[in-house]
Amino acid sequence: MTGRLDEKLTRLLGTRSGAALEKMGLVTADDLLRHYPRRYAEPGQLTDMAQLALGEHVSVLARVAEATVRPMRNRQGALLQVVVTDGRGRLSLTFFARHPGALRGHEAKLVPGRTGVFSGTVSAYRGERQLTHPDYVLVGGDVEDADAAVDEASKPMPIYPATAAVPTWRLQRAVRTVLDPLTEDDVPDPVPAEVRASAGLPTRLEALRAVHAPATAAEWRAGQHRLRFEEAFVLQAALAQRRAAAAQEDATARPPRPAEDPGLLARFDASLPFTLTAGQRAVGDEVARDLARPRPMQRLLQGDVGSGKTVVALRAMLQVVDAGGQAALLAPTEVLAAQHARTLRTLLGPLAEGGLLGGAEDGTRVALLTGSLPAAARKQALLQAASGEAGIVVGTHALLSEHVQFADLGLVVVDEQHRFGVEQRDALRAKGRVAPHLLVMTATPIPRTVAMTVFGDLEVSSLTEVPAQRAGISTHVVPADNPRWMERTWQRVREEVDAGHRAYVVCPRIHPDEEQGAGPAAGKVKAAEFDDEVPEFLDGDAEERAPLRAVLEVAEELRATPALAGLEVGVLHGQMPPGEKDAAMAAFSAGASQVLVSTTVIEVGVDVPEATVMVVFDADRFGLSQLHQLRGRVGRGSAPGLCLLVSTAQPGTPAAARVEALAETTDGFRLAQLDLELRNEGDVLGAAQSGRTSSLRLLRVVKDADLIEQARRAALPLVEADPGLSDHPLLAAAIAAQLDPEKEEFLERA
């Protein structure tokens, strides 16, 4: 966008005001107009005083009940004590001065009966909440005549996300200074006129006026609706462009081998000791058809924990190898990459030992390439990839290195897509002579609206069944402050181990010796203190909390716990050298250690069928999806699984609701939807694209599902008819400015 909206606020509002707004990230007129009100104070609807929290910076709409000036008791000076009310609760406003005369200006304005918006930080004095030296503006107080004051007081008042330096009414004045002179020509509209007409939407300028200066509540709601649609529409158009661009690329068709000439895939299917589920067969057929086309497959494979995604992906890789190509599997961590390599070799058996003594004559090789491989092993893996000897290459970000070459890369499988940006994904795809096929996997079930909003450039396949040989998992919440329950927890662990099984114990931290605060910031110690798999803390509802449990201290405690006497307690976390990590996992897999105390590094993909019990400390501090992933590490064999969630959450809090929800269901799709409803959507939709401000200010994935669908229906035919958007330059400019498609990372780590 160019023109009036690109003008700097320092020029439009003056250097001082513009500089204050710049500290809030508001640099241009467009930035300011996209700084939408957080809420609206409706006429006559005062702020509920009971909702004010200590330490919070607030803007409250209230009525003055009383105001008195008196000398200070213990030192020189005077104070003005004002009490404001919402009709039920009370809030004190305190102003100090060296002498009473300096307070007369406030006293003259703050007379009983006047209504205003008062901004400040809530503190407490003698048990009462108060604001000290608050900023304020009186409703109708800046309007010259009485009729205008009455009119102003009858309108909804926008309340903006503000700071102590720039209170809400200063933002309101700044917005009006910038907005009022604008014309339709000054405000480019990325939503084409024909789309607006069919959807019955106002122009962008009309919507901005409705949102920032509404005459009625219906007006600002209509304005927000239009701006939400715009956000959804620009996003869907960007995703449609990616799909269209992929559809124009050439790819090498990799059809299945005919029945009369069976290859690796047919031999693998014949060797499977279990029957594929109906879902695995159906999704496998979809993938096989995609691979057989001369256009690159772009497919997302999502499945709940234990639904058998790995087998589906392996069958796709074997189809490509049968057709003369190679497949690369990109995993987010070294632990998971090594796990995948082991799993693929185990599943393939002799078929993964092509050229080796005892291997299948027409088999292939599975190479592992990670950043920490010893030089000799790395050189061998690079040669196997470059020569084509390895039909399947598994690795971490190391696969993206310019030194990694493939003989004929035909398929890229990306595990846990939300840990890789589009740019990283494309860097691996660029290693093919032509665009390789792409299969993206995620074990975090994605609600339909998120898939539509985030993965709109991919076809989506879902596995909803769990293989018949899998046993169920039971989940229970254990109160951390109940000694008898904790004692029974370790007895259950011992019972499982005595039955030949193994146990995970998960902690959010590695080291116990870092100071922690309380409340929302609790647990946020030095970045290095956490694992490379940083847990997601969702403790905005926390009051004073006990310190987060740490791997190293818990391991020592368990070694001294009578119920676990004689057991080997292993340790695993992301700061361990790769060799030690591998050794810890190998010891646990083999049964040399029966209890593994770990961070969330085991969250995804780690597969030890003998593990039947998991204890998660501080479970109430994690998100639902992450807890569900952790729980999926047990019950992967024929024996039933048990997950014990140790929680400090008080009943009735959102944190307690999360762990209780997990205990009630193992349906990952249901939990994913509930997780989205319980948590801040900013955690789900990426906030920062290459340092730019997110375009999604108003859109809410759960609430706005129908609107997103409507925007998708409007965007698809438009992009199909005009893929380069040459006839829609304003939409193309909005995509470039808002989304930066080359570097967008829609889904943050979840």
Side-chain angles (χ1 to χ4, degrees):
M1 292 183 185
T2 58
R4 296 285 298 274
L5 294 186
D6 284 332
E7 290 188 49
K8 294 288 184 69
L9 293 175
T10 47
R11 199 191 76 75
L12 295 171
L13 303 172
T15 304
R16 186 175 176 185
S17 296
L21 291 168
E22 197 166 318
K23 290 179 181 176
M24 298 176 65
L26 308 176
V27 178
T28 66
D30 192 53
D31 293 336
L32 182 60
L33 296 181
R34 289 178 183 275
H35 189 74
Y36 302 126
R38 175 185 292 153
R39 60 184 176 87
Y40 296 84
E42 298 295 341
Q45 186 177 344
L46 304 180
T47 302
D48 183 356
M49 300 295 183
Q51 300 300 314
L52 302 182
L54 291 177
E56 183 181 10
H57 185 82
V58 298
S59 295
V60 300
L61 180 66
R63 188 174 60 255
V64 178
E66 57 188 71
T68 55
V69 175
R70 63 175 177 79
M72 295 174 67
R73 290 193 179 95
N74 299 322
R75 53 193 172 100
Q76 283 189 329
L79 65 83
L80 169 63
Q81 192 92 37
V82 180
V83 176
V84 296
T85 179
D86 60 0
R88 298 176 301 280
R90 291 159 57 94
L91 178 69
S92 292
L93 314 178
T94 307
F95 300 84
F96 298 99
R98 292 191 175 183
H99 53 84
L103 296 169
R104 287 201 185 106
H106 293 305
E107 189 181 10
K109 294 178 186 175
L110 299 173
V111 295
R114 294 298 301 270
T115 298
V117 179
F118 306 92
S119 281
T121 301
V122 182
S123 60
Y125 179 68
R126 293 184 175 175
E128 284 195 8
R129 278 171 296 187
Q130 68 170 10
L131 305 181
T132 303
H133 278 286
D135 277 320
Y136 63 90
V137 63
L138 298 173
V139 175
D142 292 329
V143 182
E144 291 180 4
D145 62 86
D147 290 341
V150 170
D151 179 59
E152 196 72 19
S154 68
K155 296 177 181 178
M157 178 182 289
I159 305 294
Y160 290 88
T163 66
V166 188
T168 180
W169 55 85
R170 289 194 188 140
L171 280 161
Q172 186 182 5
R173 288 174 189 158
V175 166
R176 294 297 296 271
T177 300
V178 170
L179 178 63
D180 288 354
L182 295 178
T183 67
E184 289 288 354
D185 290 339
D186 296 325
V187 184
D189 196 333
V191 182
E194 63 270 24
V195 174
R196 291 201 308 269
S198 64
L201 298 171
T203 66
R204 186 158 195 274
L205 177 59
E206 289 168 339
L208 289 171
R209 286 185 172 145
V211 163
H212 290 298
T216 64
E219 203 169 282
W220 66 254
R221 289 191 179 98
Q224 279 195 353
H225 175 80
R226 146 66 217 227
L227 294 170
R228 279 196 189 97
F229 179 89
E230 178 185 319
E231 291 179 0
F233 180 76
V234 171
L235 178 59
Q236 293 300 329
L239 292 168
Q241 274 193 307
R242 284 189 66 85
R243 287 179 76 141
Q248 295 304 309
E249 289 185 292
D250 290 324
T252 302
R254 311 283 181 174
R257 292 270 280 269
E260 61 271 16
D261 181 24
L264 280 170
L265 177 56
R267 294 184 62 184
F268 172 71
D269 284 348
S271 71
L272 279 175
F274 52 83
T275 304
L276 296 175
T277 66
Q280 285 175 313
R281 286 196 298 274
V283 172
D285 290 344
E286 288 177 341
V287 172
R289 286 193 296 271
D290 283 354
L291 293 173
R293 298 187 181 112
R295 292 283 177 263
M297 172 174 73
Q298 298 263 104
R299 187 168 289 278
L300 169 69
L301 172 59
Q302 63 166 339
D304 205 348
V305 174
S307 57
K309 295 181 299 300
T310 303
V311 170
V312 171
L314 177 54
R315 295 184 73 246
M317 290 190 271
L318 292 176
Q319 179 174 324
V320 169
V321 174
D322 276 344
Q326 291 169 287
L329 172 55
L330 183 62
T333 67
E334 292 199 352
V335 168
L336 185 51
Q339 171 74 48
H340 274 313
R342 280 194 298 270
T343 299
L344 296 183
R345 287 168 183 152
T346 301
L347 286 168
L348 288 169
L351 298 177
E353 297 172 355
L356 296 180
L357 189 64
E361 194 172 313
D362 58 349
T364 188
R365 300 289 287 277
V366 177
L368 174 65
L369 189 59
T370 63
S372 63
L373 278 182
R378 178 177 175 78
K379 184 177 180 181
Q380 183 183 23
L382 287 170
L383 284 172
Q384 288 179 339
S387 67
E389 181 185 351
I392 298 172
V393 182
V394 183
T396 56
H397 291 78
L399 287 182
L400 305 175
S401 163
E402 61 184 25
H403 302 297
V404 180
Q405 301 297 326
F406 293 86
D408 184 10
L409 182 59
L411 171 65
V412 174
V413 180
V414 181
D415 194 19
E416 292 308 306
Q417 151 66 18
H418 57 277
R419 311 206 181 177
F420 296 100
V422 171
E423 191 177 46
Q424 292 170 306
R425 190 172 86 187
D426 288 348
L428 187 53
R429 293 178 68 232
K431 291 182 179 291
R433 287 195 296 246
V434 294
H437 299 281
L438 175 69
L439 180 64
V440 168
M441 296 196 300
T442 177
T444 304
I446 301 166
R448 183 185 67 88
T449 52
V450 177
M452 191 167 58
T453 306
V454 175
F455 294 111
D457 59 333
L458 304 177
E459 299 291 338
V460 179
S461 296
S462 300
L463 290 172
T464 55
E465 301 170 81
V466 174
Q469 67 271 21
R470 288 283 172 87
I473 303 174
S474 58
T475 307
H476 303 279
V477 180
V478 178
D481 58 358
N482 188 316
R484 290 183 62 190
W485 282 54
M486 288 304 301
E487 186 178 336
R488 179 60 185 143
T489 294
W490 304 124
Q491 289 172 354
R492 281 293 288 118
V493 167
R494 183 64 191 234
E495 289 165 11
E496 290 295 315
V497 172
D498 286 348
H501 304 140
R502 303 206 243 306
Y504 291 109
V505 178
V506 178
C507 305
R509 288 200 301 155
I510 300 170
H511 299 280
D513 54 357
E514 291 285 340
E515 290 185 13
Q516 299 176 108
K524 293 184 179 174
V525 295
K526 295 177 185 175
E529 179 63 23
F530 286 123
D531 203 345
D532 52 1
E533 296 296 299
V534 179
E536 49 172 347
F537 294 109
L538 300 173
D539 54 351
D541 49 300
E543 295 293 333
E544 191 75 26
R545 289 282 189 98
L548 296 171
R549 300 310 308 273
V551 167
L552 300 182
E553 68 172 345
V554 168
E556 287 304 312
E557 288 176 13
L558 296 188
R559 289 173 184 134
T561 298
L564 305 181
L567 301 186
E568 185 65 31
V569 177
V571 164
L572 179 67
H573 58 75
Q575 291 180 11
M576 293 165 62
E580 290 184 21
K581 284 189 212 173
D582 291 343
M585 276 308 304
F588 185 65
S589 297
S593 64
Q594 300 87 23
V595 178
L596 184 64
V597 185
S598 171
T599 57
T600 56
V601 72
I602 60 143
E603 174 191 349
V604 177
V606 174
D607 190 3
V608 179
E610 295 81 9
T612 58
V613 60
M614 172 178 286
V615 179
V616 183
F617 276 107
D618 298 303
D620 49 297
R621 311 289 276 277
F622 295 96
L624 261 179
S625 292
Q626 192 171 31
L627 286 172
H628 184 55
Q629 288 300 313
L630 288 167
R631 175 172 63 179
R633 299 308 102 210
V634 297
R636 300 178 71 83
S638 56
L642 172 65
C643 182
L644 300 173
L645 304 172
V646 180
S647 170
T648 60
Q650 296 301 308
T653 61
R658 284 195 296 274
V659 290
E660 287 161 8
L662 195 80
E664 289 167 7
T665 181
T666 56
D667 182 343
F669 286 87
R670 168 77 190 111
L671 288 170
Q673 183 70 26
L674 188 60
D675 200 19
L676 198 57
E677 293 167 6
L678 285 175
R679 64 196 282 197
N680 181 337
E681 286 182 333
D683 295 328
V684 178
L685 288 173
Q689 289 115 19
S690 308
R692 292 170 182 257
T693 307
S694 169
S695 64
L696 302 187
R697 308 290 183 84
L698 297 171
L699 196 67
R700 292 294 173 264
V701 175
V702 175
K703 296 178 183 175
D704 298 326
D706 293 341
L707 188 67
I708 293 167
E709 183 69 69
Q710 181 188 357
R712 184 177 173 83
R713 286 197 304 269
L716 285 177
L718 186 145
V719 174
E720 284 171 6
D722 181 20
L725 298 178
S726 54
D727 294 334
H728 300 90
L730 296 180
L731 176 56
I735 290 172
Q738 304 299 325
L739 298 177
D740 195 1
E742 290 302 313
K743 298 181 180 178
E744 58 207 0
E745 295 189 22
F746 290 115
L747 196 58
E748 287 191 335
R749 188 190 173 289

